[in-house]
């Protein structure tokens, strides 16, 4: 199998597999191909598979090699063969699950390797008992100024501590800059015992060696130290598998077991290079020494009893604090260490990261903030009179109040007297949170907020009783300090950007509670649109409203800002029982994006949505390149909706955007899956531009909150600001070369004529070139479609398309549209440093004109 080629059909373990693009280079430095990746995983399988059996797997895929776009994939894609084993792991509700692939045999491993899976990251637990880890893992990550040799020294210190506890440990190099230390268990133990154990070991080591070890996640504190990451011992977290390839460099290194003697020698000599192993060396070592990690699958030691008591609910109260754990501290001969967290076992639902949090600003008898955390299908709630603290160590009183229904999380409007204190409510911040430590019943929660306003660490600690009830808590800022919000940001809704006064004046939603009369809480009323007064409208394709390009965003006025999404503009149309998806030039995308069409099924009949189909890269950024390889990016393709021009057979074209947006929020909440609501942002234009530039986004879109929806128009009520330079161009010919062509000849329409502006020869990979060249067959013509050719000699840098040079060209009907990035326009109307990004299937060629920022005087828009 080591021999590479374009494709090959093989029978592997009784399964017929088609292996493709075997000659594609995955690691440029050593020219290591996909065929060699498959060959390595096939040869290492008898040692690797026992360590993967029945473990849910997170795969990291690199369709174009380690230098290209990569994807973290958890869900089994829709095209997964039925013979591949999977296991559904619950997310935040029983209904919501992630269907993980289980790599239990060689055909599955080879099939995934053929899908460009380079890295394999399994759970620490096996299905079906994903709540029971079979090991404890310490991930030793050197910070700036430290290296892998420093990680070796810290690994030896941890081993010394574990030896005192009679716990055998095994070590592997990660294939990157870190070291992984594994403690086998293989006994009925849960994460409620293993994570506190790992944390207390890490903190104890930090106390003994503060100059070398850090147990906190804050990157700013890691300089010159090794971070002992104990948080890997959590449900749904995964660690790179032993014998997995890594994709951190242009050379294929392996996550490989080594002996403690090898680790000692490397640490002693400071020889970091001795700790990196390529596939061939890994296979030679296995042939000679066997699987050094084989005992990890069989050994059955037990954690010290105090930690076992945690999962059994026995180590509660003062007995755990003052008895067994104190004895344990003395036995370990550690320095004084903090009390391990929670004594009460949370459910698997509570153990999951990424649950909802919301902070509502509530103007009742007095103005205050309400913090709410999703737990057990309800919202645990605290009233925080002065709002969240921003400075590290700053404390704010937080009074526990009654649980609120989940429907209340996104409520914004008026509460009648006698219900939750009455008054006006704003959704001040909303997002998800992760639990780093503790639990609600213990009285301590260390959380990380991922909100629109709050980002970072906070701690909730129960501090006392009120009227005999444990209601008094403190909300404390942990981790790095955060810049306080401006008065304008503080008085701005995270959902609608409205102020408290605007919400109170609008009276467009009112919360009705049936608590006193029994029955379920009623959700808030819909936005106050008078549907009876709206004109009838058929749910059909309409031309999408367009954005006018500008070179400066407005500094004042009522605007909302969105990320400029780099994908396909699409309209979703729901007629009776059928949902359809159309490109902006009326091309059906139903077969192109069937998962999105299926997710649109719950949409009300007679409705049209406007949005963008986008592929996200591993950093969560829109990537038009990734969208081209839809099969590889399937799990990361989403439909972001940002408007609703028609709803239930009624035209909303004349309804202000602000009201359409509120309605859209409720529509998007009912759809879910790959259908997402495009976020809106508040803040100064310059700050938003700076943030978008730092995140390497394409640009920003600004929309007037009072704007109507104007089909097909570019009125200026919607504007776009590009951070990178780029636009669509029409292909009118090509110069022949390898894999079909050397360069594409591109231009745009002006006054009905196609103007040649550039030869596009950068940005292609061989596969894409072959796919584009295949389209040439249906477009070939003998006549140049460009009105401004031939060029004069010396008309451009490089070779001009003179009459003589044009003899080498092949001409095409101007129907193909491509996305191109470039550095700038020259004075001669040519592109500098043009680069192909992808094919545009959502825009008609005749619509392609040169895009000018509106501030450039005398230029068309």
């Amino acid at each position: 199998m080591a021999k590479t080629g374009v494709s090959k059909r093989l029978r592997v373990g009784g399964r017929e597999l088609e292996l493709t693009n075997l000659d594609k280079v995955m690691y440029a430095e050593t020219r290591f191909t996909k065929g060699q990746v498959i060959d390595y995983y096939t040869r290492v399988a008898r040692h690797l598979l026992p360590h993967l059996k029945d473990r849910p797997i997170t795969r990291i895929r690199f369709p174009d090699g380690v230098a290209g776009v990569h994807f973290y994939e958890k869900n089994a894609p829709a095209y997964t063969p039925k013979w591949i084993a999977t296991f559904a792991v619950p997310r935040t509700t029983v209904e919501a699950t992630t269907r993980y692939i289980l790599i239990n045999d060689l055909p599955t491993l080879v099939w995934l390797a053929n899908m460009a899976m380079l890295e394999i990251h399994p759970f620490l637990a096996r299905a079906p008992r994903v709540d029971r880890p079979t090991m404890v893992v310490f991930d030793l990550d050197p910070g700036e100024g430290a290296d892998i040799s420093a990680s070796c020294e810290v690994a030896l210190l941890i081993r010394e501590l574990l030896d005192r506890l009679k716990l055998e440990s095994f070590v592997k190099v990660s294939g990157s800059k870190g070291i992984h230390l594994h403690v086998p268990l293989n006994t009925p133990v849960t994460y409620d015992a293993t994570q506190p154990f790992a944390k207390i070991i890490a903190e104890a080591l930090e106390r003994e060696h503060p100059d070398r070890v850090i147990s906190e996640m804050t990157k700013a504190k890691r300089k010159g130290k090794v971070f002992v990451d104990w948080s890997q011992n959590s449900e749904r977290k995964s660690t790179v598998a032993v014998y997995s390839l890594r994709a951190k460099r242009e050379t294929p290194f392996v996550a490989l077991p080594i002996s403690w003697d090898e680790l000692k020698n490397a640490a002693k000599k400071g020889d970091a290079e001795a700790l990196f192993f390529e596939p061939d060396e890994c296979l030679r070592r296995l042939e000679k020494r066997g699987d050094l990690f084989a005992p990890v699958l069989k050994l059955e030691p037990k954690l010290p009893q105090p930690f076992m008591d945690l999962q059994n609910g026995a180590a509660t109260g003062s007995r755990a604090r003052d008895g067994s754990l104190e004895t344990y501290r003395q036995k370990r001969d550690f320095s004084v260490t903090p009390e391990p967290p929670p004594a009460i076992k949370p459910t698997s639902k509570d153990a999951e990261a990424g649950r909802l949090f919301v902070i509502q600003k509530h103007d009742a008898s007095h103005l205050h903030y309400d913090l709410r955390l999703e737990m057990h299908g309800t919202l645990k709630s605290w009233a925080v009179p002065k709002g969240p603290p921003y400075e590290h160590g700053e404390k704010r009183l937080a009074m526990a109040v009654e649980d609120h229904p989940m429907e209340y999380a996104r409520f914004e409007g008026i509460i009648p007297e006698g219900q939750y204190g009455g008054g006006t409510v704003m959704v001040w911040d909303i997002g998800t949170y992760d639990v780093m430590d503790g639990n609600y019943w213990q009285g301590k929660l260390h959380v990380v907020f991922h909100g629109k306003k709050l980002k970072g660490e906070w701690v909730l600690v129960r501090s006392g009783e009120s009227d005999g009830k444990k209601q008094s808590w403190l909300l404390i800022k942990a981790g790095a300090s955060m810049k306080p919000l401006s008065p304008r940001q503080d008085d701005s809704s995270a959902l609608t950007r409205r102020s408290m006064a605007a919400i109170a004046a609008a009276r467009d939603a009112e919360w009705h509670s049936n608590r006193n009369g029994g029955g379920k809480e009623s959700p808030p009323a819909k936005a106050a649109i008078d549907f009876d007064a709206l004109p009838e409208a058929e749910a059909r394709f309409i031309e999408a409203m367009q954005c006018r390009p500008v070179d400066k965003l407005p500094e004042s006025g009522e605007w909302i800002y969105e990320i400029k999404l780099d994908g396909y503009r699409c309209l979703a149309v729901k007629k009776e029982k059928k949902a359809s998806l159309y490109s902006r030039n009326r091309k059906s995308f139903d077969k192109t994006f069937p998962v999105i069409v299926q997710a649109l099924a719950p949409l009300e009949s007679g409705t049209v949505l406007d949005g963008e189909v986008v592929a996200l890269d591993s950093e969560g950024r829109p990537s038009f390149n990734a969208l081209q390889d839809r099969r590889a990016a399937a799990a990361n393709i989403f439909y972001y909706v940002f408007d609703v021009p028609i709803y239930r057979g009624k035209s909303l074209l004349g309804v202000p955007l602000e009201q359409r947006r509120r309605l859209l929020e409720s529509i998007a909440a009912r759809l879910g899956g790959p259908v997402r609501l495009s976020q809106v942002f508040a803040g100064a234009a310059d700050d938003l531009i700076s943030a978008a530039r730092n995140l390497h986004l394409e640009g920003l879109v600004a929309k007037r909150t009072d704007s109507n929806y104007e089909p097909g128009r570019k009125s200026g009520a919607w504007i776009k600001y590009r951070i990178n330079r780029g636009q669509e161009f029409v292909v009118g010919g090509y110069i022949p070369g390898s894999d079909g062509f050397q360069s594409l000849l591109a231009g745009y329409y002006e006054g009905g004529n196609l103007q040649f502006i550039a030869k596009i020869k950068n940005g292609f990979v061989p596969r894409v070139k072959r796919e584009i060249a295949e389209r040439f067959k249906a477009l070939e013509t003998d006549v140049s479609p460009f009105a401004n050719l031939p060029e004069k000699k010396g008309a451009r840098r490089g070779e001009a398309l003179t009459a003589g040079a044009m003899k080498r060209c092949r001409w095409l009907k101007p129907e193909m549209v491509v996305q191109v990035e470039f550095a700038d326009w020259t004075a001669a109307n040519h592109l500098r440093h043009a680069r192909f990004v992808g094919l545009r299937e959502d825009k008609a060629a005749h619509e392609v004109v040169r895009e000018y920022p509106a501030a450039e005087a005398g230029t068309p828009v």
Side-chain angles (χ1 to χ4, degrees), residues 32 39-40 43 254 277-285:
F32 198 80
D39 179 58
Y40 166 72
R43 294 169 64 189
V254 178
F277 301 88
E278 294 187 46
D280 286 346
E281 190 170 2
C282 165
L283 294 168
R284 286 196 299 271
R285 284 172 61 94

Side-chain angles (χ1 to χ4, degrees), residues 345-393:
K345 176 182 177 180
T347 65
S348 60
K349 179 173 185 283
D350 281 337
E352 165 142 23
R355 288 164 290 165
L356 179 73
F357 93 90
V358 63
I359 296 179
Q360 288 166 313
K361 195 172 182 180
H362 189 175
D363 190 2
S365 58
H366 60 280
L367 184 66
H368 65 280
Y369 298 76
D370 292 310
L371 167 63
R372 311 191 194 284
L373 305 180
E374 177 192 355
M375 295 183 199
H376 289 293
T378 192
L379 293 172
K380 292 291 181 188
S381 300
W382 293 261
V384 185
K386 295 185 178 181
Y390 300 112
E391 289 292 325
H392 174 78

Side-chain angles (χ1 to χ4, degrees), residues 19 139 264 424 477 503 805:
L19 308 181
D139 180 1
K264 277 183 188 175
T424 304
K477 182 68 183 81
I503 294 168

Side-chain angles (χ1 to χ4, degrees), residues 74 190 233 237 261 327 365 388 509 529 651 760 782 811 822 829:
K74 297 182 179 181
T190 70
N233 301 281
K237 280 201 173 183
D261 285 341
T327 302
S365 58
I529 297 175
S651 171
I760 314 298
D782 294 331
W811 307 112
F822 51 88
N829 202 36

Side-chain angles (χ1 to χ4, degrees), residues 152-276:
C152 292
E153 294 171 358
V154 172
L156 292 168
L157 294 174
I158 295 177
R159 186 198 185 197
E160 181 185 345
L161 297 181
L162 294 171
D163 284 347
R164 297 185 209 170
L165 300 171
K166 296 182 171 52
L167 290 172
E168 192 168 356
S169 55
F170 297 79
V171 68
K172 77 174 190 279
V173 293
S174 70
S176 183
K177 60 180 181 176
I179 294 289
H180 294 167
L181 192 149
H182 294 242
V183 182
L185 297 176
N186 301 306
T187 53
V189 64
T190 70
Y191 290 98
D192 301 306
T194 59
Q195 189 180 72
F197 172 75
K199 183 171 186 278
I200 208 168
I201 293 287
E203 289 178 339
L205 203 67
E206 181 181 2
R207 289 177 183 274
E208 291 184 355
H209 304 280
D211 57 329
R212 301 163 70 181
V213 178
I214 182 77
S215 64
E216 292 184 50
M217 295 186 181
T218 309
K219 287 191 176 181
K221 297 182 179 181
R222 297 190 202 175
K223 191 170 183 179
K225 301 180 182 181
V226 174
F227 171 45
V228 179
D229 188 356
W230 50 268
S231 70
Q232 291 293 105
N233 301 281
S234 300
E235 283 192 72
R236 293 158 184 76
K237 280 201 173 183
S238 55
T239 301
V240 69
V242 64
Y243 306 120
S244 171
L245 293 172
R246 298 309 301 272
K248 301 293 186 181
R249 304 187 183 188
E250 292 283 357
T251 299
F253 292 122
V254 178
L256 187 70
I258 60 174
S259 69
W260 282 108
D261 285 341
E262 287 178 293
L263 188 93
K264 277 183 188 175
N265 290 335
K268 186 177 181 179
K269 296 177 181 178
D271 185 5
E273 293 303 314
L275 298 173
F276 290 89

Side-chain angles (χ1 to χ4, degrees), residues 688-755:
L688 292 171
I689 291 169
S690 177
R693 184 172 284 115
N694 290 338
L695 291 171
H696 305 291
L697 299 175
E698 185 187 14
L700 294 169
V701 170
K703 301 174 181 178
R704 290 194 64 89
T705 56
D706 61 353
S707 61
N708 295 336
Y709 191 95
E710 303 171 87
R713 291 200 62 203
K714 196 183 292 183
S715 67
W718 292 11
I719 57 179
K720 60 183 177 182
Y721 176 89
R722 284 188 178 275
I723 290 172
N724 70 332
R725 301 298 299 269
Q727 70 161 81
E728 305 93 349
F729 291 105
V730 179
V731 177
Y734 65 96
I735 298 175
S738 61
D739 293 310
F741 61 91
Q742 178 193 87
S743 56
L744 298 179
L745 308 178
Y748 62 83
Y749 277 97
E750 185 175 273
N753 296 320
L754 186 64
Q755 302 293 318

